[in-house]
Amino acid sequence: MIVMKFGGTSLGDPAAIRKCAEIVERHLSKKPLVVVSAHSKVTDMLLDAARAAVKGDVDGPFERIRKRHHDILDGLGLPSDTIEKNMKELHDLLRGISMVKEVTPRTLDYAASFGERMSSKAFAAYMRKRGIENAEAINAYDLGLVTDSRFTNARPLAESYERIPKAFEPHRHKLVILTGFIAKDKNGDITTIGRSGSDYTAAIFGAALGAEEIQVWKDVLGILTADPTIVPAARPIERMSFAEASELAYYGAEVLHPSTIIPAVKAGIPIRVLHTFDPEAPGTIICDRCEPNGAHPVKSIVYKEDQILVNITSTRMLMAEGFMAKIFNVLERHRIVIDMISTSEVSVSLTTDSEEGLDAACEEMREFATVDVEKGKAIFAVVGEGMRNTIGMAAKTFSAVAEAGVNIRMISQGASEINIAFLVDNKDIPATVRSLHRKFFGI
Ligand code: ASP
Ligand code: MG
């Protein structure tokens, strides 16, 4: 079997949904399990509706959500009662929120869940209409996906991997259309696994069911050599390793939800990123063994903007014993997630994007250090397995940045040697991307 995941834009309107249906039909012999996101924009609409309900504004946002869905059903020639039960439940929920005048993360997840619950019903009904009578929408939590109770960003529990195959068994002969993004915790409350989490759902089910391949259908040609809005000549990377893909996801490539790779690596299942609107294009395959990119040791250039640089200098001349431990202790207590770090004899520099809690953490560290914070930075990473065996990659990287007239604030190279990461100002992003792409890809 294979897993085929379709994103929000791929399910954004009736014409797009028709394309997805044709793609599924072409893969029927491989016994696909289909995972769907909500129709594009719907998750945001639902979250906004929940927040508006706190202020007593229920019917306006609700009607907009209803219209968005009914327009799609109409366009597919499906009756609006396909999702009527969900609509009623959503309306009740919004009214409930307006009565208690409060919205908790738990309620937000409940509200957001309607997006995938309804899109899966619409897609299954449409597949049945096209003659695939055994198409059936099933919620991921009814097929064994259990998470912890960290609402809005819940983590799947390991037991899911045992429950899923058992729960799926009676449905093996069907075309299952599964909800991405949503799950339940052990109390039976609905959770979500983080924005854009449907990729992750696809990987979890792929791993749990031993799929041959996890296909992620999107509105891009694959994983690209650079951000195409800055380098229009950026091109899709045909093959990449799990390690390369993990580095890219970590450093901000938005093509895959960062956790997606983990279950796939563990189970050794290739992930293929494909284009719904150009389904014959090769896309990108991420797999276990992946030869370097021939002439190009670098596979891709990625960046993550709006990072915060924190410089911590010991107030004594030399770093006192336990200085590092103290720093990490404070950061951990305030749940500050660190991306890059570099140290010298008297100072530690690190980057994070966690704004929440940062002020409090800095205040605490000021008891034993001088701390300054600079916002508006961008982390860049140049990634490729081929870099490990190629001399002069750092020189090439930094000369490209220097040629762009850009100042580097911090540098780090992971022990795996498949990436070089550094920090610049947000405003220098375009010049840096262009210069690196020219240096490594000649365009
Ligand atoms: N619908 C969810 C979101 O918009 C999950 C997803 O699209 O993967 O974040
Ligand atoms: Mg999405």
Side-chain angles (χ1 to χ4, degrees):
M1 57 108 38
I2 60 169
V3 175
M4 304 178 78
K5 181 260 169 177
F6 293 92
T9 313
S10 301
L11 300 167
D13 57 61
I17 294 172
R18 207 164 296 132
K19 290 241 156 50
C20 297
E22 289 163 8
I23 292 169
V24 171
E25 283 163 1
R26 277 203 293 280
H27 287 81
L28 281 180
S29 65
K30 292 189 172 159
K31 299 203 161 304
L33 165 69
V34 175
V35 177
V36 294
S37 292
H39 308 296
S40 50
K41 309 258 165 38
V42 166
T43 308
D44 288 325
M45 293 169 90
L46 288 161
L47 294 171
D48 290 346
R51 294 192 185 100
V54 177
K55 295 180 215 131
D57 186 7
V58 169
D59 289 339
F62 173 74
E63 286 308 329
R64 282 192 283 281
I65 293 164
R66 172 144 69 184
K67 180 164 189 314
R68 173 96 178 89
H69 287 88
H70 283 182
D71 286 350
I72 287 174
L73 292 171
D74 278 353
L76 295 172
L78 295 170
S80 58
D81 66 10
T82 311
I83 52 165
E84 221 31 59
K85 263 204 206 141
N86 287 324
M87 277 297 167
K88 190 180 170 309
E89 188 184 336
L90 171 64
H91 204 192
D92 288 346
L93 171 66
L94 296 175
R95 270 197 296 249
I97 295 173
S98 80
M99 277 185 250
V100 295
K101 297 191 175 62
E102 182 181 66
V103 65
T104 60
R106 182 199 314 253
T107 327
L108 285 175
D109 276 358
Y110 183 18
S113 74
F114 287 94
E116 274 70 11
R117 288 158 72 194
M118 297 196 286
S119 66
S120 58
K121 293 214 174 60
F123 195 67
Y126 182 56
M127 294 309 294
R128 286 195 296 273
K129 186 178 171 203
R130 291 175 67 100
I132 301 173
E133 277 151 30
N134 66 359
E136 185 178 326
I138 306 185
N139 295 321
Y141 46 74
D142 292 325
L143 277 192
L145 182 58
V146 220
T147 65
D148 62 21
S149 304
R150 269 187 274 172
F151 296 99
T152 75
N153 203 12
R155 295 298 91 191
L157 301 181
E159 66 192 70
S160 304
Y161 290 93
E162 280 151 41
R163 285 169 171 240
I164 289 171
K166 286 187 203 130
F168 186 65
E169 192 47 43
H171 304 285
R172 259 189 197 280
H173 59 284
K174 300 178 187 162
L175 176 64
V176 173
I177 314 295
L178 188 78
T179 53
F181 181 52
I182 66 172
K184 275 187 182 173
D185 67 5
K186 287 214 142 171
N187 302 323
D189 289 329
I190 293 182
T191 58
T192 66
I193 57 174
R195 292 306 303 269
S196 302
S198 303
D199 293 350
Y200 191 18
T201 306
I204 295 166
F205 277 82
L209 296 171
E212 264 163 68
E213 180 170 290
I214 299 160
Q215 299 182 348
V216 180
W217 292 86
K218 310 189 78 99
D219 56 343
V220 292
L221 279 169
I223 299 181
L224 304 183
T225 49
D227 179 347
T229 61
I230 299 174
V231 182
R235 49 170 194 267
I237 304 157
E238 248 174 73
R239 300 171 69 81
M240 54 192 332
S241 67
F242 283 125
E244 289 170 332
S246 312
E247 295 289 343
L248 287 183
Y250 181 79
Y251 286 107
E254 273 168 11
V255 179
L256 282 183
H257 181 281
S259 308
T260 304
I261 322 262
I262 303 165
V265 178
K266 274 200 200 138
I269 301 171
I271 302 177
R272 210 183 272 279
V273 181
L274 294 153
H275 195 341
T276 307
F277 307 109
D278 188 358
E280 301 306 320
T284 298
I285 180 154
I286 305 165
C287 49
D288 227 344
R289 260 174 298 128
C290 225
E291 47 308 332
N293 218 4
H296 302 295
V298 167
K299 290 269 174 83
S300 185
I301 296 151
V302 277
Y303 65 87
K304 200 154 64 160
E305 59 194 325
D306 295 330
Q307 304 298 301
I308 306 167
L309 171 63
V310 184
N311 291 306
I312 305 153
T313 311
S314 171
T315 36
R316 277 171 238 157
M317 268 311 281
L318 287 175
M319 244 191 248
E321 209 179 304
F323 182 64
M324 286 288 204
K326 273 204 244 169
I327 292 175
F328 285 112
N329 184 291
V330 174
L331 294 170
E332 197 191 335
R333 261 187 294 108
H334 291 277
R335 289 178 176 250
I336 307 295
V337 180
I338 302 165
D339 276 329
M340 277 173 84
I341 180 151
S342 83
T343 60
S344 74
E345 210 173 0
V346 291
S347 72
V348 176
S349 301
L350 50 90
T351 71
T352 178
D353 59 6
S354 340
E355 287 220 37
E356 217 187 296
L358 187 61
D359 286 345
C362 291
E363 218 31 67
E364 259 187 60
M365 290 191 290
R366 287 200 176 97
E367 282 165 26
F368 55 85
T370 309
V371 182
D372 65 69
V373 173
E374 293 175 47
K375 296 195 175 164
K377 307 288 166 205
I379 297 186
F380 265 83
V382 173
V383 177
E385 298 262 12
M387 295 183 23
R388 201 181 274 145
N389 307 314
T390 314
I391 292 169
M393 295 311 290
K396 229 173 151 176
T397 302
F398 298 128
S399 67
V401 182
E403 282 156 24
V406 169
N407 185 26
I408 295 181
R409 296 299 308 276
M410 208 175 142
I411 294 173
S412 89
Q413 181 175 29
S416 66
E417 287 178 65
I418 70 162
N419 80 76
I420 296 174
F422 58 91
L423 195 73
V424 303
D425 285 336
N426 271 348
K427 68 167 173 39
D428 292 326
I429 291 172
T432 309
V433 178
R434 275 188 217 111
S435 184
L436 285 167
H437 201 268
R438 210 174 307 119
K439 184 73 97 191
F440 288 113
F441 299 99
I443 38 171

